[in-house]
Amino acid sequence: WSFWHVRLPLMLILGFINLLILSYIKLTYHIQPQRDPGFVCPGIPFVPAIGIVLNLALFSALDLAAHLMTISYFVVGFVIYFGYGYFHSKITLKKQNVLDMSLTTIREEEETEQE
């Protein structure tokens, strides 16, 4: 009597929960070879938005000196970052190579005219 009224429903409920957990694990670790999304931020757009709001709240609690230091670090960082990108980009190097080639051809033409 106690097996049918107490243990059987409990075993059915535990079996159903076990089935749900195993199904979740199977669906979570299912490999889809046809596409590779790369890195996916979890909880888009909520996790990034919460992070931005919390960081802005923490930043607003700082004093003026900390704000000025942070802004100056950002300015220096942007100058270094974009300066390096500008002087080491492939487009700039191609332009520089074209200019070098045109200067060498002009010099060669001048040398041939002088002779």
Side-chain angles (χ1 to χ4, degrees):
W1 166 257
S2 66
F3 174 78
W4 294 107
H5 289 295
V6 178
R7 291 185 181 157
L8 183 63
L10 184 63
M11 288 173 55
L12 289 175
I13 291 171
L14 291 176
F16 183 69
I17 291 172
N18 190 15
L19 183 68
L20 287 176
I21 291 171
L22 290 175
S23 299
Y24 174 75
I25 291 171
K26 171 67 178 158
L27 290 174
T28 302
Y29 293 105
H30 178 70
I31 298 173
Q32 296 179 353
Q34 68 268 17
R35 64 179 201 159
D36 182 24
F39 174 75
V40 177
C41 185
I44 292 176
F46 302 111
V47 172
I50 290 170
I52 290 170
V53 169
L54 289 177
N55 282 316
L56 287 175
L58 288 172
F59 186 69
S60 67
L62 296 174
D63 57 328
L64 182 63
H67 286 268
L68 294 175
M69 290 293 288
T70 304
I71 291 170
S72 64
Y73 283 138
F74 274 126
V75 168
V76 169
F78 281 135
V79 167
I80 291 171
Y81 178 77
F82 288 111
Y84 181 86
Y86 177 76
F87 289 111
H88 290 86
S89 71
K90 292 180 180 179
I91 296 172
T92 304
L93 293 175
K94 284 181 184 177
K95 286 181 183 178
Q96 195 172 24
N97 287 339
V98 168
L99 285 174
D100 290 342
M101 290 173 59
S102 63
L103 284 175
T104 55
T105 56
I106 290 172
R107 288 180 187 154
E108 288 174 356
E109 289 175 359
E110 289 177 352
E111 288 176 359
T112 55
E113 286 177 3
Q114 289 177 357
E115 293 176 356

